[in-house]
Amino acid sequence: MAEAKLLSGNDACVQGALAAGVRFFAGYPITPSTEIANAFARELPRRGGIFMQMEDEIASMGAIIGASCTGTKAVTATSGPGFSLMQENIGYAAIAEIPCVIINVMRYGPSTGLPTSPSQGDFMQTRWGSHGDRPVIVIAPYTAREAYRETGRAVNLSETYRVPVIVLMDEILGHLRERVEFRDEDLVQEISRKGPEPGKPFLPYENTEDGVPPFADFGTGYRYHITGLIHDETGFPTNNPVEVDTIMRRVNGKLDMHIRDIERTRFVDADDAEILIVAFGSVARSAHEVVRTLRNEGKAVGMVRPVTVWPFPDEDIRTAVAGKKAVIVPEMNLGQMVREVERVVAGAVPVHALNRIDGLLVTPHEIRDLVEDLL
Amino acid sequence: MSKRWEVRLIGTGGQGIVTASIILAVAALREGNNVVQSQNYGPEVRGGYSTAYVIASESSILYPKIDLPNVLLVMTSTDYEKYLHEIDEDGILIMNGEQGSEPLPDNVYFIPITNIAHDELERPITANIVCVGAVVGLTDMVSEAAALAAVEEHVPAKAVKINRRAFILGVRAAREALAKREASATS
């Protein structure tokens, strides 16, 4: 498709977003995500798009939600402290069903933490960070090439399902540059939200069969109400228990209806493995290295790597772990994804957490030591 | 290139070692290798501790970090003993400075990087390109031609000439250090 080039994880996100048709970025610079803002500031005006530097991350989310209401594909990027500030408006986008993409380049927390060090401490926050039940799709790439393709996919899923999508990066992937050679399968499509059917009455929050109501872009002639209050099919507030139950079940259930389209899980030598490593993001690179090394030595080790980490790939994990001797979940936190793995495995196979919280990447060496103990 | 090259550059923020590492990465990439380049730094813009690294290999690079590099270049100190345990057992250590009178371990080289940039080129800012030359001259990680092309690509158009010279002087100093080492080994 194109010649090999040196591309950073952060720049790859920007290129993937642009390829999917993103034309608006609002954000507040923060290490280690700042290069994303820089690249959008450079690239968007050339394409007739808009870059806005906001006063903070609350306003950044507000701006991309507003831009998206006009039908413009919109992205913001942040890290730890900024991501915490965005949670209120992520909940708003979820219940108001406004497509938007948030790139969170994880750094070490809590609070200001270690601004230049990596972490996977936001795994649970991406899913549960807002108050109330809200849907979200979270995608965690592990190479620059994948960051390109998956950010493009994030934009498209957000448009298709009218849901906020979070691209979950980390400092290591954001800041490294690596050889990227795009192939045909990396081609990013441009998918836009479905609009109202001409001639048919428009209900902005219609209880459609596929769970996703049509979106009338502002300025296209439709007058309707968007609110963070729980609303009925017309978009106006309601506290009627039946209507409240209906919209909450539809909004929170719509992703389950399309789960095969949303999930993406990668398997490396998992079928005949005795020990299975479940890892995501940069830690999965260490895990993959261990699988490669130990397979060369004839040892039965494999890896399952959720690319879509939320909704958590319950079925893929359940199937993959069946009959294994043990499961290892390495993470750069005190144990977040391991809780999901334990929930899914439900005691069928022993699950071992391997946690590193000194600001450094889990090494292949330490994963290997644990694998060899368990073999 | 048959081995996995792991090169680490240590300096202070503002010295241009990140650029030097990118140049090495691009040169290795152009020669058909897989590469990963990255850097560690503190919150300061200039003056703080800064390290950059490159991994180059024919096979795909999964683990993106370096534990013990096989090339370590230190811009900020001449105390080589402090860094001997920070390289791989078959690795080399490149120190920025003039070699003293005492004999050095076989894997340690002194290259007067700052002096070359300051005195010969009269452009201290080119020290990072002298670094690139030093690494290329002391190893067979990438060819001189590929490295020179990458240097030219990554410096401002008006500074191509001076940086080309900086690269060549870095390579030359490295070759001289190698020749001196071989001469003393055979004597």
Side-chain angles (χ1 to χ4, degrees):
Chain A
M1 203 167 123
E3 67 166 331
K5 57 182 166 185
L6 194 67
L7 190 62
S8 77
N10 279 346
D11 283 336
C13 286
V14 175
Q15 293 194 15
L18 292 170
V22 167
R23 290 297 177 269
F24 185 89
F25 177 94
Y28 184 85
I30 182 169
T31 300
S33 76
T34 304
E35 296 80 10
I36 295 174
N38 288 346
F40 273 120
R42 190 176 63 236
E43 298 297 331
L44 280 171
R46 291 178 185 169
R47 293 168 164 81
I50 291 173
F51 170 90
M52 279 178 79
Q53 178 162 333
M54 304 304 294
E55 66 268 38
D56 60 32
E57 289 85 351
I58 301 173
S60 303
M61 269 308 295
I64 66 164
I65 289 169
S68 180
C69 287
T70 71
T72 303
K73 295 177 187 176
V75 169
T76 188
T78 190
S79 185
F83 189 57
S84 297
L85 287 176
M86 288 181 178
Q87 295 301 328
E88 157 69 5
N89 270 339
I90 292 173
Y92 180 93
I95 193 61
E97 297 181 83
I98 299 165
C100 57
V101 171
I102 302 101
I103 305 168
N104 176 22
V105 189
M106 283 186 283
R107 73 186 215 183
Y108 194 103
S111 190
T112 313
L114 298 173
T116 58
S117 296
S119 162
Q120 294 182 319
D122 302 348
F123 177 83
M124 285 291 182
Q125 195 196 5
T126 56
R127 177 67 190 89
W128 307 110
S130 310
H131 58 282
D133 286 308
R134 57 124 165 97
V136 70
I137 296 171
V138 183
I139 297 176
Y142 91 142
T143 60
R145 180 180 164 210
E146 204 174 64
Y148 171 86
R149 182 169 60 187
E150 291 299 326
T151 306
R153 191 168 75 98
V155 174
N156 290 333
L157 288 174
S158 179
E159 290 285 319
T160 304
Y161 301 114
R162 293 187 58 176
V163 66
V165 179
I166 294 162
V167 179
L168 192 59
M169 303 275 289
D170 59 59
E171 187 275 338
I172 295 166
L173 181 54
H175 277 165
L176 67 73
R177 296 173 182 85
E178 64 185 336
R179 179 198 180 92
V180 177
E181 205 169 350
F182 290 121
R183 305 193 192 120
D184 287 345
E185 68 257 34
D186 297 311
L187 199 69
V188 170
Q189 288 179 287
E190 270 193 69
I191 298 171
S192 296
R193 64 195 74 170
K194 85 183 163 203
E197 273 183 56
K200 261 187 71 178
F202 171 61
L203 268 178
Y205 292 94
E206 189 184 344
N207 209 351
T208 55
E209 251 176 64
D210 67 354
V212 186
F215 193 104
D217 298 336
F218 280 14
T220 56
Y222 294 87
R223 283 178 62 196
Y224 65 105
H225 191 237
I226 295 179
T227 176
L229 286 163
I230 303 301
H231 37 273
D232 61 18
E233 289 183 282
T234 68
F236 284 99
T238 179
N239 54 12
N240 174 320
V242 174
E243 288 174 347
V244 169
D245 186 84
T246 302
I247 184 175
M248 283 300 274
R249 287 191 190 280
R250 179 182 61 74
V251 167
N252 282 286
K254 65 184 172 183
L255 301 184
D256 290 338
M257 297 172 68
H258 305 280
I259 196 71
R260 294 322 289 180
D261 181 42
I262 295 165
E263 276 183 348
R264 179 167 283 178
T265 307
R266 299 296 190 214
F267 303 88
V268 181
D269 294 329
D271 286 349
D272 65 339
E274 286 178 48
I275 308 286
L276 200 61
I277 308 166
V278 185
F280 74 99
S282 290
V283 174
R285 296 177 71 126
S286 297
H288 198 159
E289 184 86 56
V290 171
V291 173
R292 180 163 71 175
T293 312
L294 290 182
R295 281 282 168 176
N296 279 338
E297 296 171 16
K299 291 173 180 156
V301 186
M303 175 173 79
V304 181
R305 179 171 67 90
V307 180
T308 300
V309 294
W310 294 108
F312 194 71
D314 289 14
E315 271 315 303
D316 287 337
I317 301 288
R318 193 175 293 124
T319 314
V321 302
K324 304 301 185 209
K325 208 162 147 186
V327 174
I328 298 172
V329 186
E331 296 178 82
M332 285 187 289
N333 57 41
L334 278 173
Q336 298 194 14
M337 186 170 74
V338 69
R339 289 168 170 259
E340 286 301 294
V341 175
E342 280 169 342
R343 175 183 62 77
V344 171
V345 171
V349 176
V351 176
H352 300 264
L354 197 172
N355 308 109
R356 189 146 187 179
I357 53 153
D358 58 356
L360 298 174
L361 177 60
V362 178
T363 64
H365 190 78
E366 55 199 318
I367 298 173
R368 186 192 167 125
D369 282 351
L370 182 54
V371 170
E372 287 181 333
D373 281 351
L374 295 169
L375 266 171
Chain B
M1 182 180 294
S2 54
K3 68 187 212 179
R4 175 171 161 131
W5 284 94
E6 301 190 336
V7 180
R8 189 193 301 282
L9 312 174
I10 297 179
T12 56
Q15 276 184 326
I17 59 160
V18 173
T19 303
S21 68
I22 291 173
I23 289 168
L24 287 169
V26 167
L29 179 145
R30 293 279 156 71
E31 293 193 319
N33 298 289
N34 290 297
V35 294
V36 165
Q37 177 281 335
S38 195
Q39 56 279 315
N40 305 323
Y41 52 87
E44 312 89 344
V45 177
R46 285 189 183 82
Y49 174 80
S50 163
T51 83
Y53 67 87
V54 188
I55 307 169
S57 169
E58 276 173 7
S59 50
S60 62
I61 299 166
L62 297 167
Y63 179 57
K65 294 281 183 183
I66 291 179
D67 291 330
L68 293 175
N70 39 39
V71 180
L72 175 62
L73 186 151
V74 183
M75 283 292 280
T76 46
S77 164
T78 51
D79 182 8
Y80 70 86
E81 284 178 336
K82 204 176 119 192
Y83 293 95
L84 278 174
H85 65 280
E86 291 188 25
I87 54 173
D88 190 56
E89 55 190 16
D90 65 350
I92 63 163
L93 184 55
I94 308 170
M95 305 300 293
N96 173 20
E98 303 284 352
Q99 187 179 335
S101 51
E102 85 277 28
L104 290 175
D106 283 347
N107 58 347
V108 180
Y109 297 89
F110 272 77
I111 310 283
I113 293 165
T114 306
N115 290 353
I116 292 171
H118 199 271
D119 302 341
E120 294 188 49
L121 296 156
E122 295 177 339
R123 297 284 278 279
I125 199 172
T126 60
N128 64 332
I129 306 300
V130 181
C131 281
V132 174
V135 172
V136 172
L138 281 169
T139 68
D140 53 1
M141 178 191 176
V142 292
S143 71
E144 276 180 50
L148 186 55
V151 167
E152 290 173 359
E153 208 180 297
H154 285 85
V155 297
K158 62 177 195 247
V160 166
K161 213 169 141 190
I162 186 83
N163 281 292
R164 197 184 289 149
R165 267 192 73 213
F167 172 77
I168 291 165
L169 290 182
V171 173
R172 189 179 299 162
R175 297 260 195 266
E176 280 166 13
L178 271 179
K180 214 187 310 176
R181 182 63 44 83
E182 275 161 28
S184 67
T186 51
S187 65

